[in-house]
Amino acid sequence: MGDNDGLLETLRELRRHLGRELFPLAIGDVTADRRAARELSGQLDDYLIPRLTSIDAPLLAVVGGSTGAGKSTLVNSLVGADVSEPGVLRPTTMAPTLVTSSADREWFTAQNVLPGLSRVTGGGRGQPGTIRIVTASAVPPGLALLDAPDIDSIVTANRELAAQLLSAADLWLFTTTAARYADEVPWSFLRTARERSTALAIVLSRVPPEALGVVRKDLTRLLEANGLGGTRLFEVPELVLPEENARLPRQAVQPVADWLLALAADSRSRAEVVRQTLSGALESLATRVPALAAAVERQHAGAAELRSMADGAYAVGLSTFDEGMRDGTLLRGEVLARWQDFIGTGDLMRSLESRVGRFRDRLVALVMGRPAPENELRVALESGVESLIRASADGAAERLMESWSSHPAGRALLEDAGVEVTSRLGRASADLPARAQEAVRGWQSYVLDLVRQEGADKRTTARITSYGLNGAGLLLMIAVFASTGGLTGIEVGIAGGTSVLSQKVLEAVFGDQAVRTLTVKARSDLRARVAILLGQEADRFTDLLDAVQPPDETAPALRGTADAVREHLRELPVANRRAALPASSASSASSAGSAGSAGSARQVGSAPGTPGTPGTPEIAPRADGDPGGPPGPHEGPAGVPRANGTEGGEA
């Protein structure tokens, strides 16, 4: 690694950030965001980290392209052996085939590149999710060919795998046909090559003899218009094959074979190709990673919106409780009846007159088996407050379910949680009654403590002793809720009398200012306890967000790694825009005569040749030792250009 240690560690840090789900919420174009993160993770695993770890490892050329472009036929023809199975059925390539020399076999078998694909050796087509490793004597050390699935396959997994393999390549050997060279799908990949400055060569196959040069000229025009001017371009004519799966004759692919041979033989050229593609991939992080960071921030903004909905729904729930606490609602029903018992039996008045009277009533209640009226009133108040809490929580849960269900991210989050969970979320939690009971009893104890503390001086203590601590505490609780709001008819008069009586008695004990202070304190304490309960109810919803939301520091960390990569790139040698490759032989294989095209299904009676004959090309020099003639009229100077169109050493 040497000088690359800092850059390599930065890439590993970036990979760790991408290792968790960054886009759990349906915010914006989340499908595209997830795909971009998945592609970047794959390129880090499959190419960037392995290549930086072993910068001198063999060069990997991926043969990719559209359906029926003749990729497998081209690979078989180049290596002079049937290593990949061509055919007319689609998809043909189910598992990619990597062809390497015996000297480099260990490197590729050891899963240094494409570690997520299991290795398979030997015969057979291989299974999806695997990569076949095949050795061929015609492949020189330092170079490997990978036959990829169709980029436009009807099988989604094949399309994704094709994109993954191209992202792992040092060099794209992109194949297309005279009939499909203008299709959009190939051009979307070629534009990606341009954006990432990937080393690229194009094989234009199945060109009718009468269209030789014409199609090439138009494709050259399109390449220039898309910022890919100067890309090396090879032509393979449409030829007649002796049988469906036959290999192309030697002269049909000789220019490609010569060019690859020269590339493998020149370590400097290989290094330039690696540096060009590696630099381009690293430079692309300057835009790809910040784009992911922005998408993560959109996730946080969406999560904040959902949290705001939860806060709002339960704030309304708390307001509902406040209104019920102030409008006299609690003095209806059971509480009102128990208050009437408390007053009508004379329990309160006798407790005000004499402790003996209170003791006598309690003794009678004990003998008769009837609870003391003050206890019944306390229990009724407790039950009423608990019911108000549950009603407020139920209403808040229903409102929040409606709000989240109307929001794309909230709806998807609820769907992911499942029917059982969402059915529970639509109402107050099952344990809320027990927690509410505990909170109300705690509040009642607090109220008694307030009464006790306020009556700490001797005179007030004597008054409380005369009236009874529990009786005074109940009066304070009643004062918290006693108001005529929400009551009608006779209830108004009764509640009004309740309020006046409670107020007068408390003022007689503590004084009017103290009573106001005690009432505010008692009401505030109850409200705070209910706010805690409702907050716990809201947590059921926000816990769903907490379980999936990426950490707050994710977006800044992603931008930090992008900046660090940019700084480390300044330390690396600048990729030579010329990439100093040897010239290829004439790219147009029109001299191939009437053999057969890649993927052509037409057959004649002649059999394919054997190694060393024109029927079986090998990646080897021509018999005369000439590595290749001058470049064709559209090839430009020798070398693989950067995809920005610069060629021949131009900056």
Side-chain angles (χ1 to χ4, degrees):
M1 293 185 291
D3 295 338
N4 298 330
D5 287 356
L7 176 58
L8 188 57
E9 182 54 36
T10 299
L11 294 182
R12 286 172 175 158
E13 179 185 354
L14 173 59
R15 183 62 183 87
R16 287 192 290 271
H17 291 311
L18 297 176
R20 64 165 297 156
E21 175 58 70
L22 298 181
F23 310 112
L25 303 177
I27 303 294
D29 192 355
V30 69
T31 301
D33 295 336
R34 290 168 179 166
R35 182 172 58 249
R38 187 167 58 249
E39 289 174 354
L40 180 52
S41 298
Q43 191 170 35
L44 287 167
D45 292 338
D46 298 336
Y47 180 67
L48 287 172
I49 293 176
R51 175 50 74 187
L52 276 172
T53 302
S54 299
I55 199 71
D56 296 324
L59 186 146
L60 179 61
V62 173
V63 182
S66 302
T67 300
K71 300 179 294 297
S72 299
T73 300
L74 177 64
V75 171
N76 290 341
S77 302
L78 288 172
V79 303
D82 294 333
V83 294
S84 188
E85 184 176 351
V88 296
L89 299 180
R90 299 290 177 258
T92 300
T93 303
M94 300 297 293
T97 299
L98 189 149
V99 190
T100 182
S101 67
S102 56
D104 297 329
R105 181 178 184 276
E106 183 178 353
W107 165 259
F108 291 106
T109 305
Q111 295 185 295
N112 292 296
V113 295
L114 297 165
L117 297 177
S118 301
R119 268 46 175 178
V120 175
T121 58
R125 300 180 62 180
Q127 299 299 317
T130 66
I131 181 171
R132 292 180 60 237
I133 307 295
V134 179
T135 58
S137 58
V139 178
L143 175 69
L145 297 177
L146 179 57
D147 181 17
D150 302 332
I151 60 173
D152 55 354
S153 173
I154 60 174
V155 180
T156 301
N158 280 0
R159 296 197 303 271
E160 294 176 348
L161 179 58
Q164 177 186 358
L165 297 178
L166 288 170
S167 295
D170 295 302
L171 169 67
W172 287 15
L173 194 58
F174 204 81
T175 63
T176 188
T177 66
R180 303 193 60 186
Y181 70 92
D183 288 359
E184 172 57 28
V185 173
W187 281 101
S188 67
F189 279 84
L190 293 175
R191 282 190 286 269
T192 298
R194 176 197 65 198
E195 293 164 1
R196 300 180 188 177
S197 300
T198 304
L200 173 68
I202 296 177
V203 177
L204 178 62
S205 68
R206 305 181 70 175
V207 183
E210 65 275 12
L212 286 170
V214 178
V215 176
R216 175 193 180 94
K217 182 177 180 180
D218 190 53
L219 178 54
T220 301
R221 176 187 62 81
L222 292 175
L223 289 169
E224 291 174 349
N226 284 273
L228 290 165
T231 298
R232 185 171 297 280
L233 179 59
F234 299 95
E235 247 182 333
V236 177
E238 185 168 20
L239 305 171
V240 179
L241 293 177
E243 60 185 23
E244 178 185 322
N245 296 336
R247 300 191 293 272
L248 295 169
R250 181 185 186 90
Q251 61 268 33
V253 294
Q254 191 69 57
V256 183
D258 290 346
W259 181 71
L260 290 173
L261 175 68
L263 176 61
D266 188 343
S267 60
R268 179 181 175 186
S269 296
R270 291 200 313 274
E272 287 294 337
V273 169
V274 169
R275 188 176 295 114
Q276 172 183 327
T277 301
L278 180 61
S279 297
L282 291 171
E283 289 168 1
S284 74
L285 301 184
T287 55
R288 296 163 71 190
V289 175
L292 290 178
V296 170
E297 289 173 338
R298 289 194 294 273
Q299 289 283 310
H300 283 290
E305 186 176 355
L306 294 179
R307 291 181 192 279
S308 177
M309 290 179 180
D311 293 342
Y314 280 92
V316 172
L318 185 58
S319 297
T320 300
F321 178 82
D322 286 341
E323 184 178 354
M325 187 168 54
R326 293 176 182 274
D327 67 3
T329 300
L330 281 172
L331 295 183
R332 293 172 173 171
E334 185 69 15
V335 174
L336 186 57
R338 298 289 75 78
W339 172 257
Q340 290 171 337
D341 289 345
F342 191 50
I343 298 297
T345 58
D347 191 60
L348 174 61
M349 300 311 296
R350 284 194 295 275
S351 68
L352 297 178
E353 296 169 357
S354 165
R355 294 182 63 192
V356 175
R358 187 179 69 254
F359 176 76
R360 182 182 61 246
D361 285 344
R362 287 181 176 176
L363 180 61
V364 171
L366 179 62
V367 173
M368 300 297 294
R370 176 176 56 83
E374 67 179 44
N375 289 337
E376 291 182 330
L377 177 58
R378 178 184 56 78
V379 172
L381 274 173
E382 179 182 314
S383 177
V385 175
E386 292 170 10
S387 296
L388 182 57
I389 292 173
R390 290 197 300 272
S392 301
D394 281 334
E398 291 174 4
R399 279 187 294 272
L400 186 52
M401 282 291 291
E402 292 177 0
S403 297
W404 275 25
S405 296
S406 65
H407 190 286
R411 182 168 57 251
L413 195 61
L414 293 173
E415 290 173 354
D416 290 342
V419 175
E420 183 179 352
V421 172
T422 54
S423 64
R424 292 197 300 265
L425 288 175
R427 57 183 183 273
S429 56
D431 66 341
L432 179 63
R435 290 186 287 113
Q437 183 182 67
E438 182 180 357
V440 173
R441 288 179 177 176
W443 172 70
Q444 290 176 330
S445 297
Y446 171 78
V447 170
L448 294 179
D449 287 341
L450 277 181
V451 172
R452 186 181 297 109
Q453 292 168 9
E454 190 65 29
D457 64 88
K458 293 182 179 179
R459 180 178 300 178
T460 307
T461 299
R463 292 173 181 168
I464 292 177
T465 301
S466 298
Y467 303 152
L469 178 63
N470 290 336
L474 281 171
L475 290 174
L476 181 55
M477 295 176 202
I478 291 293
V480 170
F481 305 112
S483 172
T484 58
L487 302 182
T488 60
I490 193 171
E491 289 181 326
V492 174
I494 296 173
T498 300
S499 178
V500 171
L501 180 58
S502 299
Q503 192 83 6
K504 292 301 182 182
V505 172
L506 290 172
E507 289 177 359
V509 176
F510 302 110
D512 57 348
Q513 181 59 43
V515 169
R516 286 193 290 271
T517 301
L518 287 173
T519 303
V520 169
K521 286 183 177 180
R523 181 179 289 125
S524 298
D525 183 79
L526 178 57
R527 189 180 190 277
R529 293 174 189 269
V530 173
I532 292 174
L533 290 175
L534 294 180
Q536 293 169 344
E537 291 293 289
D539 288 344
R540 299 180 303 150
F541 289 86
T542 57
D543 284 348
L544 296 179
L545 287 170
D546 294 337
V548 299
Q549 185 177 340
D552 293 340
E553 65 273 10
T554 300
L558 287 173
R559 288 195 173 89
T561 57
D563 293 340
V565 169
R566 191 180 299 111
E567 290 299 318
H568 286 302
L569 277 175
R570 298 176 182 175
E571 305 168 4
L572 297 179
V574 178
N576 188 344
R577 267 50 175 175
R578 179 175 183 131
L581 289 179
S584 69
S585 59
S587 297
S588 176
S590 57
S591 61
S594 58
S597 78
S600 174
R602 290 180 291 175
Q603 302 177 16
V604 294
S606 58
T610 58
T613 70
T616 307
E618 297 178 337
I619 304 179
R622 294 183 177 183
D624 58 5
D626 184 5
H634 298 284
E635 292 176 22
V640 176
R642 285 185 69 87
N644 59 11
T646 57
E647 176 72 39
E650 297 176 0

